[in-house]
Amino acid sequence: MSGKDVTLKILDFWQNDEGKWMDSVVTAFEKKHPNITIKRTTQDWGQVNNTVGLRLADPNGPDIALVNNGWQAMGTLAKGGRILNLDAYSRLYGWDKEFPDTIARQTEFTSDGKQMGTGSLYATPAARSSLIGLYYNKEILDKLGLPVPATLADFEKDAAAVKAAGEVPIAYGSVDKGSSTAILFATQNLYAAADKIGDFVYSNGTVPITDTGIVQAATDVKKWSDAGWFTPNSAGIQYADAQNDFLAGKAAFRFEYTGSLSFSDAQKQTFGYVQLPQVDGGKIVGTGASAANLAISAKSKNPDAAAAFLDFMASKTAAQLAVDHGFLPLLHSDLEIPSGNPELASEIAAQQALDKSNGYTPYFDWSTPTMLDTMGGQLQQLYAGQVTPKQLAEAGQKDYDAFQAQRTKG
């Protein structure tokens, strides 16, 4: 883009290694567009999320901001006219063809803010993804002569063998309700069609929670808990402690969000990641989204330049820079993967399988502002034998229905 000199102000939460990635993207963009200067304001995620609405209302605020998914963040900003409808830019840059619809849907709202997952595009993904799947310690599996699981049945055979050998199959703690749900959501994806989960989460209203694989997933995790496959005293284990146990080699597996485990150079050689295929049919379906979404302020004086930056953030260049900095890319398959990081290579292979199958499902807790807390609390009761998988699903449906009634009232 040529023309007058432009300064774009960006509000983001990328710091440390992520900040270095973002700096490299900015440098590459400014080289391509020498008339555009990027000025970043960086704060932690909580600060950005809590203040973004007020900042976007300021005529001197950011041109571009990272915006969280869901009703409370992006939906409110779209309804309030704080962020631009990007449909025209989507057609101009070809985002409507470039972005898998299961990814684009995550940033779509109707202009009245009443429907999510349909309508117009209000943000675009950065070329970095975040998934939920199964991590494994290959050193433990090799020691016991076990293969890396390729199916749910394989995983259960491996876990039983690890338990029989006197070791812990799954590093897990359920004290922190929100983070304890990764295992449930990852397993749920093995049973339900991606569009069924999507239609429930996006409040389509026609899909009951029982069609989202949640009962089958709850049945599985309860079975694993009863079999003693979790970290001993998992009901008293904190999220960070379960992570540390896994990294310390005290368990063979962990269901986790990508990017949440800090692997050392040595651990990158022995840990890996797999997106298990669905039980019926073998399609790859998994919870996944952009690591962040970028929206343009409705008050930006340079929306065309801002759109050019959004396009660059979703580009192959940005994706390659993500890989170069050790992060999981999104949208692009023909990237150069560092040979010395097999752990990252395993994550990229899983993400590319999701790309190929268009099998992304949204985070299940996006369905209501309280679903994450509801599911986490139900899991605690499930493990304690206080509720059944069916009752867990009924609690989720009750949460969902209450939110739908609230939305209908406006």
Side-chain angles (χ1 to χ4, degrees), residues 129-179:
S129 68
S130 175
L131 312 175
I132 305 178
L134 179 66
Y135 283 92
Y136 57 86
N137 184 326
K138 196 167 187 301
E139 201 168 57
I140 292 177
L141 298 182
D142 286 348
K143 181 179 69 175
L144 299 177
L146 301 173
V148 173
T151 65
L152 177 62
D154 291 345
F155 163 71
E156 291 187 327
K157 288 178 183 177
D158 281 359
V162 171
K163 176 68 174 178
E167 300 200 40
V168 176
I170 305 169
Y172 185 70
S174 60
V175 169
D176 306 289
K177 289 193 287 186
S179 56

Side-chain angles (χ1 to χ4, degrees), residues 14 22 25 95 167 186 193 203 217 236 265-266 275 318 322 352 359 372 407:
W14 284 312
M22 182 60 168
V25 173
W95 300 335
E167 300 200 40
S203 300
D265 287 342
Q275 206 76 46
Q352 290 176 344
L372 191 65
R407 285 201 317 111

Side-chain angles (χ1 to χ4, degrees), residues 93-105:
Y93 286 105
W95 300 335
D96 52 345
K97 298 179 178 63
E98 178 185 356
F99 302 158
D101 58 6
T102 50
I103 290 292
R105 200 177 179 192

